[in-house]
Structure formats: C-alpha cells, structure tokens
Amino acid sequence: MACEAEKMSKIGSFEGFQPVSLKQEGDDQPSETDQLSTEEGDPGKDPEPSRISRQPSVTESTLYPNPYHQPYVSRKYFVTRPGAIETAMEDLKGHMAKTPGETIQGFWLLTEIDHWNNEKERILLVTDKTLLICKYDFIMLSCVQLQRIPLSAVYRICLGKFVFPGMSLDKRQGEGLRIYWGSLEQQSLLSRWNPWSTEVPYATFTEHPMKYTSEKFLEICKLSGFTSKLVAAIQNAHKNSTGSGRRKGLMVLTEPILIETYMGLMSFIGNRNKLGYSLARGSIGF
C-alpha cells in the first residue's frame, strides 16, 4: 500500500512530463504560446504584463474610392462613365464661346434641390460675370436646359442645414447653399406652389452623391470649393458693375435653409428612385 501511494503521488505532481510546442517543419516563427512563456521571464524577476506579438496589418485605408461606397452603385450614374463629365465641360465651353468677354472660373457637379424638395443633377459654371446652371443629359451627352444668372444680381448667399415646417412629412438631413438673385416678395403664389416653375428667384444646392468615388469628383463636387469661388466672383462683379443696381454688395449668411414642403409625395418618390439623375435603370421588358 505504501508503494502504491508513492506512485500516485508522483503521478499527481506530473513528474516526468515536459511541455511540447507543436511546430510545422520549416516554421521558424515562435508560436503565441512560446511568445507568452518567453515574456513571462524568470520567477525571481518582477512580473511584467504578458504581451502577444501580432504581425503588422498590411491593409491601408484609402479615401479613393470610398471604402463604404460600392463600385457597382457608382457605375449606375452615367456621369461617372469615362469621358462623360469631360464632354459636358467641352459642350459648356462651346456655349460660352458665343458670349465673348467672359473668363471661366471653374466647373462643378452639384445637386440642386428645388422648392418642392426634388433633387436634380446639375453642372454649374462660374465666369467673371455669370453663373450658369446646366441641366445635362449624361446619357445622350447633350445640354437640355441652361439658366444664366448675372453675378451682379446676386445679393445674398445662405449656408446652413436644411429645415422644414413642423408638419412636413418628407424631410432631409444635411446642409447646403442657397443663392438669391430676386425678391421673394415679388414671387407669385402660382410659381411658389408650381413644382415645375422656373420663376423661383433663388436656387438651392448640395453635394452630389458621387463625391467620394474618385479624387476628380471630390474636387468638382465639393460645395465649399464652389462657394469660395462663387463669393469671390460675385464680389468682383459688384465692384465692376456700372449700372445703377437696386442692391450693392453681397451678404453671406450662416442660417438654416427652409424648404417649405408639407406632404412631399412627389419628392418622396422621385428622390428615393433618383429620378433627377442620369441613372441606369436596368433592362425593362418581357
């Protein structure tokens, strides 16, 4: 009985057992278990917190393209097709050639938000005298509508977040820019409540959804870049204006931008389906 008790005491103390690390042939890197045991050190030394060594990550985060932007979504927009935006710029340069004496300051691709909260894809061109707002068909590569606004007529620019009446059912987040060139008091009631009216004395813009698809689109879709260039051009136009204008100077305000819609059924359907953009809708047939 004494011999059996002695054998069991040796087994209980695990005498004769040694830890074995499992490595594959040709693997010179220590395992995590070996790394832990090495960093623990001798029992006589001060204990140090154990660390697990990790290989450095080789994944680099880049801004272009946006990692949260799915490539197939951007390909739906015809403006992102190769050569589309360049063709539109050349067409607008051709329109400007018909009015000599103006110097082009730059091109931008923005989203216009009309007085009924409908989104519309627009190209904006700023010269030293005029702001051009172009509705461009990126499918047929042609200019559909061109609105010219004299910079000397612009008297106020508002920057801020979008706000809606308390009872509105269709609201949007974000911020934008509104440009005023006419009197709101002289706007007729018919033009205010007509969703297709072109007599609204202001225009509201926000950034295009394709802003982060590439470095090129980041520059032409940046609202801050457009604002700084536009403000400088308007101020110069006011200084060089020779007519006895109704207003002198430009006010740049930071305040909420009111979009006065209530039901918003038209904008709800149109904006969710991106009807204001040149977009690939897919094949429709039987």
Side-chain angles (χ1 to χ4, degrees):
M1 293 293 293
C3 293
E4 291 181 0
E6 183 178 356
K7 289 180 180 180
M8 293 191 64
S9 64
K10 289 182 179 181
I11 293 174
S13 62
F14 297 98
E15 187 175 332
F17 288 93
Q18 297 294 331
V20 178
S21 62
L22 299 178
K23 295 183 180 180
Q24 296 181 355
E25 186 177 355
D27 189 5
D28 296 332
Q29 296 294 333
S31 64
E32 292 186 1
T33 305
D34 296 339
Q35 183 71 22
L36 282 171
S37 62
T38 303
E39 293 176 353
E40 286 177 356
D42 297 334
K45 295 182 180 180
D46 295 335
E48 296 181 357
S50 60
R51 300 182 300 273
I52 300 178
S53 62
R54 302 290 187 188
Q55 293 295 328
S57 175
V58 295
T59 304
E60 296 181 358
S61 61
T62 57
L63 183 60
Y64 316 111
N66 185 352
Y68 301 102
H69 190 85
Q70 298 174 342
Y72 78 91
V73 175
S74 64
R75 288 195 292 267
K76 289 184 176 181
Y77 290 79
F78 280 88
V79 68
T80 62
R81 303 291 175 92
I85 190 66
E86 289 79 8
T87 302
M89 291 179 180
E90 291 299 324
D91 288 350
L92 288 179
K93 288 180 181 178
H95 284 283
M96 292 306 303
K98 301 176 183 178
T99 56
E102 296 190 34
T103 304
I104 298 176
Q105 305 289 334
F107 295 86
W108 285 269
L109 176 68
L110 299 175
T111 296
E112 181 180 4
I113 302 173
D114 68 7
H115 58 297
W116 275 52
N117 196 30
N118 296 302
E119 295 182 1
K120 301 176 180 179
E121 190 174 45
R122 293 292 183 263
I123 298 179
L124 285 86
L125 186 150
V126 177
T127 72
D128 53 349
K129 297 180 181 179
T130 310
L131 169 64
L132 277 79
I133 304 175
C134 176
K135 177 183 179 182
Y136 197 85
D137 185 353
F138 287 100
I139 301 176
M140 301 302 297
L141 297 177
S142 61
C143 180
V144 178
Q145 182 182 6
L146 193 62
Q147 183 179 11
R148 292 174 177 265
I149 302 169
L151 295 182
S152 58
V154 178
Y155 65 93
R156 185 170 64 169
I157 291 179
C158 293
L159 302 165
K161 295 183 178 181
F162 299 116
V163 294
F164 292 79
M167 299 298 292
S168 178
L169 300 179
D170 184 30
K171 301 179 181 181
R172 70 166 59 245
Q173 302 296 324
E175 56 188 18
L177 162 78
R178 177 168 288 178
I179 306 168
Y180 294 87
W181 61 83
S183 174
L184 295 177
E185 291 78 11
Q186 296 179 358
Q187 183 182 4
S188 65
L189 184 64
L190 179 61
S191 66
R192 180 175 299 180
W193 294 105
N194 180 8
W196 297 281
S197 174
T198 58
E199 299 178 358
V200 180
Y202 60 84
T204 308
F205 300 96
T206 189
E207 292 180 337
H208 195 277
M210 294 294 100
K211 175 183 177 181
Y212 292 108
T213 54
S214 68
E215 187 174 0
K216 175 182 66 177
F217 280 95
L218 179 68
E219 291 299 322
I220 64 176
C221 298
K222 187 182 294 184
L223 191 63
S224 59
F226 168 72
T227 304
S228 60
K229 185 68 71 172
L230 178 65
V231 169
I234 294 173
Q235 291 173 344
N236 290 332
H238 281 219
K239 291 178 182 178
N240 300 328
S241 178
T242 57
S244 56
R246 177 168 50 90
R247 298 180 179 88
K248 292 294 183 180
L250 172 68
M251 292 189 300
V252 181
L253 307 175
T254 301
E255 62 182 16
I257 298 175
L258 175 64
I259 302 178
E260 197 172 359
T261 60
Y262 293 91
M263 292 297 295
L265 180 61
M266 179 184 294
S267 61
F268 178 83
I269 297 174
N271 295 340
R272 266 69 178 174
N273 293 279
K274 303 295 182 183
L275 298 182
Y277 300 87
S278 296
L279 198 68
R281 308 293 172 181
S283 58
I284 301 176
F286 299 95

